[in-house]
Amino acid sequence: IVCGETMKINEIARNKKVTFSYEIFPPKPNSPVLSVYESLDKLSAQRPDFISVTYGAGGSLVSNKTLVLSSYIQDRYNIPSMAHLTCINSSKQYILAVLEQLKANGVYNVLALRGDKTPDITPAGDFNYASELIEFIKNNSPEICISAACYPEGHIDGGFEKDIQVMKDKYSCGAEHFISQLFFDNSHFYRLMDRAAQLNINANIEAGIMPVLNKNQIERMVSMCGCSFPEKFRKMVERYQDDKSALLQAGINFATEQITDLLSNDVKGIHLYTMNRPEVSEKINENVRYLVDYLNA
Ligand code: FAD
């Protein structure tokens, strides 16, 4: 396994004009673990620049899956991985142990997050915000490349201007790379890029793209992240929502158009939320791969 410097996301980003990366999630309890490995076989064949693995809100079992999958991606496919890590429900001691485990497994990229507050879990009290986790990682494991989340339409509890300042805090605390929340109107992302540049946030910002798969997912997105839907998107959903395959195809086309426009506007990275659906990312990859390779040539 190649690890350390060569696998760090900020290095990869520095050496490329544009990066194209994927997000996967560990299998939920009771779902067959095999399917994630089958998915990964297909996703890795699409040669993303790196694959990030989400982290559940709850306990160590889930975090262990994040660790296992992150290290598996590097060992099996030689593709750099990034482990998501949330802090709101964790003690400093626990986070230290996770960082040690990640490093012991060659995982040197972490997406440092607060995590969502859940009514059934009392926050551990050691961390209130992602910026505190970022500072903690920077102080305790400076060899780790830290990424952080940013919000083209503001965080659901915050607001655009407040969250741009939060982004600056995260940068000042040690975040070297950002991945955005999903959005369907690229103008939100361009506004974020402009404000970040004004605030001298000198880090790569990847655009998080979520292809629409079905109606339930759209409803979940609104309640979880509060993103807005442009007229064009709304019309598309209305038109095709009664036919699963038609909506899926329209969603792939929409994501392809969104990415094409982002690439034309000098966006430095695309992070595709694959939802563990390799057949969907495969089509999007086919549609945009030539452009990404052309820009990096
Ligand atoms: P923060 O940056 O801490 O912000 C959270 C809120 O606190 C915001 O409203 C902000 O305005 C406010 N805030 C921040 N700092 C301050 C301050 N100093 N004073 C006052 N207010 C402040 N969740 C998971 O559980 N697992 C995952 O794997 C996961 N992956 C994600 C990947 C991406 C790319 C994104 C965008 C989100 C992901 N999330 C994940 C969701 C994330 O945990 C939630 O959006 C969470 O509510 C906020 O996380 P954050 O790291 O942005 O928090």
Side-chain angles (χ1 to χ4, degrees):
I1 175 172
V2 192
C3 68
E5 295 300 325
T6 52
M7 301 291 272
K8 287 189 188 169
I9 305 304
N10 58 345
E11 291 288 333
I12 297 167
R14 210 170 292 148
N15 291 325
K16 290 204 152 198
K17 189 131 195 218
V18 58
T19 55
F20 189 56
S21 61
Y22 284 179
E23 177 191 284
I24 62 151
F25 52 79
K28 308 258 183 314
N30 304 325
S31 73
V33 176
L34 189 62
S35 71
V36 78
Y37 291 106
E38 286 167 340
S39 296
L40 268 174
D41 258 352
K42 296 184 175 142
L43 290 167
S44 61
Q46 296 162 29
R47 304 311 299 170
D49 286 308
F50 66 90
I51 299 178
S52 81
V53 186
T54 65
Y55 187 91
S60 53
L61 235 185
V62 186
S63 68
N64 193 32
K65 283 188 194 166
T66 305
L67 169 72
V68 167
L69 285 174
S70 304
S71 105
Y72 178 82
I73 289 165
Q74 298 194 146
D75 291 351
R76 176 97 173 81
Y77 306 109
N78 202 24
I79 293 177
S81 67
M82 171 194 280
H84 295 208
L85 179 61
T86 68
C87 62
I88 187 84
N89 297 321
S90 298
S91 65
K92 286 185 173 170
Q93 206 181 6
Y94 180 76
I95 295 288
L96 276 180
V98 172
L99 294 174
E100 288 313 312
Q101 279 185 313
L102 286 169
K103 288 187 287 186
N105 283 278
V107 179
Y108 283 82
N109 299 297
V110 168
L111 180 64
L113 300 149
R114 182 194 69 177
D116 285 320
K117 292 182 179 168
T118 39
D120 46 326
I121 306 175
T122 312
D126 278 1
F127 300 97
N128 296 307
Y129 300 111
S131 53
E132 295 167 7
L133 175 63
I134 292 165
E135 195 167 25
F136 186 76
I137 299 175
K138 190 83 193 161
N139 290 336
N140 289 285
S141 286
E143 64 277 43
I144 284 182
C145 170
I146 308 168
S147 298
C150 62
Y151 297 85
E153 298 183 71
H155 181 263
I156 195 158
D157 306 328
F160 182 75
E161 273 308 319
K162 180 183 173 197
D163 280 300
I164 277 289
Q165 298 303 330
V166 169
M167 189 180 174
K168 174 78 183 184
D169 279 354
K170 292 179 183 180
Y171 177 69
S172 307
C173 288
E176 297 167 80
H177 174 262
F178 287 87
I179 300 183
S180 88
Q181 181 61 284
L182 60 97
F183 56 93
F184 295 101
D185 179 345
N186 288 354
S187 65
H188 296 302
F189 191 81
Y190 300 141
R191 178 178 61 155
L192 177 88
M193 280 171 71
D194 290 346
R195 289 289 289 125
Q198 282 166 10
L199 292 174
N200 298 316
I201 299 174
N202 186 19
N204 261 34
I205 311 171
E206 292 201 23
I209 297 295
M210 171 88 77
V212 170
L213 308 176
N214 56 54
K215 272 203 300 193
N216 289 348
Q217 174 211 12
I218 300 172
E219 280 152 25
R220 258 201 329 272
M221 286 186 302
V222 186
S223 65
M224 283 179 70
C225 76
C227 62
S228 66
F229 297 136
E231 186 62 13
K232 193 171 139 184
F233 181 88
R234 216 187 294 269
K235 279 189 171 163
M236 175 192 85
V237 173
E238 261 171 41
R239 188 74 166 168
Y240 302 113
Q241 61 185 352
D242 295 332
D243 184 290
K244 270 189 189 165
S245 306
L247 185 61
L248 183 62
Q249 182 64 59
I252 289 168
N253 294 357
F254 193 93
T256 300
E257 261 187 55
Q258 238 192 311
I259 296 170
T260 306
D261 183 68
L262 290 163
L263 294 176
S264 308
N265 283 278
D266 211 17
V267 166
K268 302 293 180 215
I270 306 291
H271 191 65
L272 195 65
Y273 297 112
T274 70
M275 313 292 288
N276 296 14
R277 295 277 300 266
E279 75 287 7
V280 174
S281 60
E282 186 178 13
K283 290 204 172 129
I284 297 172
N285 181 49
E286 268 171 27
N287 292 342
V288 304
R289 173 55 65 184
Y290 187 87
L291 301 182
V292 171
D293 288 347
Y294 167 76
L295 291 172
N296 283 319

